[in-house]
Amino acid sequence: MVKKSKSDIFDLLLEGHRKGLELAIDTSIRTGVPLVVMKNGKITYIKPKFKYVRVPISTAKRKKTKSA
């Protein structure tokens, strides 16, 4: 078993926290629901400043071949 220092563990925890925050923001943008956070002991609703738009994927047009 490899021993890790406390700073390595804290770095892993911070990275997990960052990823979770990004996922929460992405989900909030896609669903249009504001984030609910506690700031200075008060519950606050934060509406992300981004908009999620579904764009259809354009398919490549196939060349028509003439059958002889």
Side-chain angles (χ1 to χ4, degrees):
M1 180 177 218
V2 178
K3 275 193 164 183
K4 293 190 177 194
S5 66
K6 285 187 179 182
S7 62
D8 291 340
I9 293 171
F10 290 137
D11 290 339
L12 290 173
L13 287 172
L14 286 174
E15 184 63 27
H17 184 266
R18 278 188 225 112
K19 286 182 181 181
L21 183 61
E22 287 177 13
L23 182 63
I25 291 171
D26 287 344
T27 303
S28 174
I29 292 168
R30 279 189 273 120
T31 59
V33 177
L35 290 171
V36 179
V37 296
M38 184 173 279
K39 193 173 192 179
N40 296 329
K42 295 182 181 179
I43 295 177
T44 309
Y45 296 92
I46 299 173
K47 180 76 174 171
K49 299 178 184 178
F50 302 99
K51 185 168 107 175
Y52 178 76
V53 180
R54 288 187 180 199
V55 180
I57 299 172
S58 60
T59 58
K61 294 183 180 180
R62 295 183 184 175
K63 293 183 181 180
K64 292 184 179 180
T65 57
K66 291 184 180 181
S67 52

